[in-house]
Amino acid sequence: MARIIRSSKLRGPILSAPGFNPATTMGHRLSKITTKTGDGGTTGLGDGSRVPKTHPRIVAIGEVDELNCVVGLMLTEPLPSALREAMLDVQHDLFDLGGELSIPGYSAITEAHVARLESLSASLNETLPMLKDFILPGGSRAAAYAHLVRTVGRRAERAVLVLAATDAVSDAVRIYLNRLSDLAFVLARTLNRDAGQPDVLWRKDRRGALP
């Protein structure tokens, strides 16, 4: 018989039973957000186990959660409909990726998810002029948010690598985060172009502004 596990990370109960697939089955939502179960410094994983809130797995989950928040921030800006839909897909992917991290042994992100990011990144990059200089974050606000997605994504990737040093983590999770950062860089340039903003180029001669 399945048992209901309260998970502070997923904000809802997880059914734990042999062969249970969290991707196709959803328990009842928690109606109470403040549970006080983590007041002792531990938190629950999706499999019912508890770990310190400083555990690398929880750190990685938190970084992915923050990354999803930054994607959501970027989506508050006017975006072309096709790019908006693509980034909404990314938000769902990141939620699933966090679920994978919260349930050791569970797999949600696959090579197909990675390939989708790579395809979009390549198609957008083909429409951009060749980059001959380093660029700085900025230009339009949407592009600046895309750069935040890029940098927070790299941090999330590093956190997953730290976790992978001691726990099993699928290659697809790490690679997905890496490719999302690549996509965010291309997306920032695309959004600046669409807004009529040039890339903000790093200028070596600006060093001369220092006394």
Side-chain angles (χ1 to χ4, degrees):
M1 177 180 295
R3 69 184 190 277
I4 294 179
I5 299 170
R6 298 292 181 183
S7 170
S8 61
K9 284 297 148 189
L10 295 183
R11 292 303 180 191
I14 300 297
L15 288 174
S16 177
F20 169 66
N21 184 356
T24 58
T25 306
M26 182 69 74
H28 297 293
R29 296 294 187 185
L30 277 176
S31 59
K32 185 177 180 181
I33 300 302
T34 303
T35 63
K36 300 183 180 181
T37 58
D39 288 353
T42 65
T43 190
L45 295 178
D47 62 359
S49 62
R50 298 193 67 82
V51 295
K53 292 183 177 181
T54 54
H55 190 283
R57 185 173 295 277
I58 303 305
V59 173
I61 291 171
E63 300 290 8
V64 171
D65 188 21
E66 182 180 349
L67 174 58
N68 209 344
C69 291
V70 178
V71 174
L73 184 62
M74 185 180 68
L75 285 170
T76 65
E77 293 293 305
L79 300 178
S81 58
L83 293 182
R84 176 173 296 279
E85 288 302 312
M87 296 312 292
L88 282 171
D89 286 341
V90 165
Q91 281 203 302
H92 284 77
D93 290 347
L94 290 174
F95 192 88
D96 291 341
L97 193 154
E100 176 170 339
L101 291 175
S102 73
I103 306 174
Y106 170 60
S107 179
I109 300 301
T110 67
E111 292 180 1
H113 292 87
V114 174
R116 175 158 48 83
L117 293 187
E118 291 176 342
S119 176
L120 178 58
S121 182
S123 64
L124 291 176
N125 197 51
E126 287 177 356
T127 69
L128 297 171
M130 183 177 295
L131 192 60
K132 299 180 180 180
D133 298 284
F134 294 111
I135 68 171
L136 302 176
S140 68
R141 187 163 58 180
Y145 286 155
H147 278 293
L148 276 175
V149 173
R150 173 179 63 83
T151 55
V152 176
R154 294 297 190 197
R155 174 153 43 91
E157 180 188 0
R158 292 193 296 271
V160 166
L161 284 171
V162 171
L163 173 62
T166 57
D167 293 30
V169 178
S170 77
D171 289 341
V173 164
R174 172 181 53 81
I175 296 172
Y176 182 93
L177 294 170
N178 178 274
R179 300 301 189 270
L180 177 55
S181 294
D182 291 344
L183 171 61
F185 179 82
V186 176
L187 186 59
R189 297 192 65 209
T190 301
L191 293 173
N192 269 341
R193 181 202 60 195
D194 291 350
Q197 295 272 5
D199 288 322
V200 182
L201 301 179
W202 172 76
R203 291 170 45 193
K204 184 177 180 180
D205 62 300
R206 291 280 294 188
R207 297 181 188 174
L210 295 175

